Amino acid sequence: MSSRLPRPGRCVVMGVLNVTPDSFSDGGRYLHLDEALAHAATMAEEGADLIDVGGESTRPGAERVAAEVERDRVVPVIKELAADGLVLSVDTTRAAVAAAALEAGAAVINDVSGGLADPEMVHVAADSKAPIVLMHWRGHSRDMDRLATYDDVVTDVRNELSRRVDAALAAGVAPEQIVLDPGLGFAKRAEHNWALLHRLAEIRELGFPVLIGASRKRFLGSLLADGDSPRQPSGREDATTAISALAAVNGAWGVRVHSVRPSLDAVRVADAWVRGEP
């Protein structure tokens, strides 16, 4: 595995840093540079293995921003954090933004479109030799809910991810650069998300590290609903922590979370459980 992809001997904890005004859980909180840097420092102090910097919201229904806006949001943050020695990924579907972020000091590309939104993305990964997360995706945020139709969600997601792997390999991306993400919540209804988690082993059988991004997502809010009202994102952290532990026990390479310390505790406990020793 690339030396730039964290491998701490347990499930990796990737901290989310949204420098956006409209992300579903923390939109607007870290849009300004000093706020973003302070939050990243907190996540690093809490033990994040990797900090994922994103400048465009991918919440359901979100509208796209211009590439220049996205780039100008993420590059200054990445440059400052990389100078402090933090390990960073860039959450983007645009090859030009990924290239600029890598030049600024990011180590990993996290592409929620799996290379579908911008065919040049896999070439950026191939040329830079940066690890790339290929997520299962069927369309941009404004369209994705209507695309949640499957014969068998796990089989379909597995097959579609396999095609994204083939495209990356054909572009020259090395197998050891690839991480897969089943894309919980992206063109998925709640039952699809739970099926993917329940049958995570079938995604792992593709032979690549797997990243799970369930943090505070709406399917958790639906599960924890108080009557007819879904639990709000701020009340979904315990459920997120539970998923981090279960993902780790079931062999996930990493979890992507908004709150680092609870999930780091969870994956450390899971690691000790699986090993039978601390």
Side-chain angles (χ1 to χ4, degrees):
M1 190 65 60
S2 168
S3 62
R4 292 181 290 177
L5 192 65
R7 301 287 285 193
R10 53 156 171 77
C11 184
V12 164
V13 176
M14 174 191 281
V16 177
L17 180 55
N18 289 319
V19 286
T20 61
D22 56 345
S23 292
F24 80 94
S25 178
D26 54 6
R29 293 185 62 186
Y30 311 116
L31 186 58
H32 300 294
L33 181 60
D34 56 346
E35 296 166 339
L37 298 179
H39 185 54
T42 297
M43 290 193 288
E45 289 167 4
E46 291 181 349
D49 301 296
L50 183 66
I51 294 176
D52 191 39
V53 184
E56 181 178 56
S57 175
T58 54
R59 64 175 174 78
E63 293 295 329
R64 302 218 68 188
V65 300
E68 296 79 7
V69 172
E70 183 187 2
R71 182 197 61 210
D72 291 346
R73 287 174 178 173
V74 300
V75 166
V77 175
I78 289 171
K79 189 173 293 186
E80 293 280 350
L81 296 177
D84 290 338
L86 276 64
V87 183
L88 308 166
S89 56
V90 59
D91 175 6
T92 183
T93 61
R94 291 182 168 112
V97 174
L102 294 173
E103 185 175 355
V108 178
I109 301 166
N110 180 17
D111 183 355
V112 301
S113 80
L116 282 171
D118 187 341
E120 289 302 311
M121 183 69 84
V122 288
H123 297 287
V124 170
D127 293 343
S128 66
K129 300 189 178 353
I132 182 168
V133 180
L134 300 173
M135 196 193 81
H136 178 264
W137 183 87
R138 285 184 166 182
H140 288 290
S141 297
R142 64 182 178 272
D143 303 318
M144 64 184 180
D145 281 353
R146 65 179 178 80
L147 301 173
T149 57
Y150 301 91
D151 293 325
D152 177 280
V153 65
V154 180
T155 300
D156 292 350
V157 166
R158 175 178 163 139
N159 290 342
E160 290 169 36
L161 280 174
S162 292
R163 290 197 286 273
R164 302 321 308 147
V165 169
D166 290 344
L169 296 175
V173 177
E176 59 269 20
Q177 290 174 245
I178 295 174
V179 176
L180 299 181
D181 181 339
L184 302 179
F186 288 79
K188 317 282 191 315
R189 295 193 297 273
E191 62 268 27
H192 299 142
N193 298 322
W194 291 116
L196 286 161
L197 289 169
H198 178 65
R199 294 163 59 187
L200 182 60
E202 294 176 48
I203 304 299
R204 292 185 60 229
E205 285 171 1
L206 292 171
F208 298 93
V210 174
L211 176 67
I212 296 296
S215 183
R216 303 179 183 173
K217 287 189 173 176
R218 58 182 174 172
F219 76 103
L220 298 180
S222 298
L223 180 74
L224 304 173
D226 303 310
D228 294 330
S229 301
R231 180 83 59 85
Q232 293 301 302
S234 60
R236 302 172 191 171
E237 194 56 48
D238 289 346
T240 297
T241 304
I243 286 191
S244 293
L246 291 166
V249 166
N250 284 277
W253 164 79
V255 291
R256 182 181 183 273
V257 298
H258 293 85
S259 184
V260 168
R261 192 186 301 278
S263 281
L264 181 58
D265 287 351
V267 302
R268 291 174 67 187
V269 168
D271 181 64
W273 182 304
V274 170
R275 293 176 185 270
E277 61 182 12

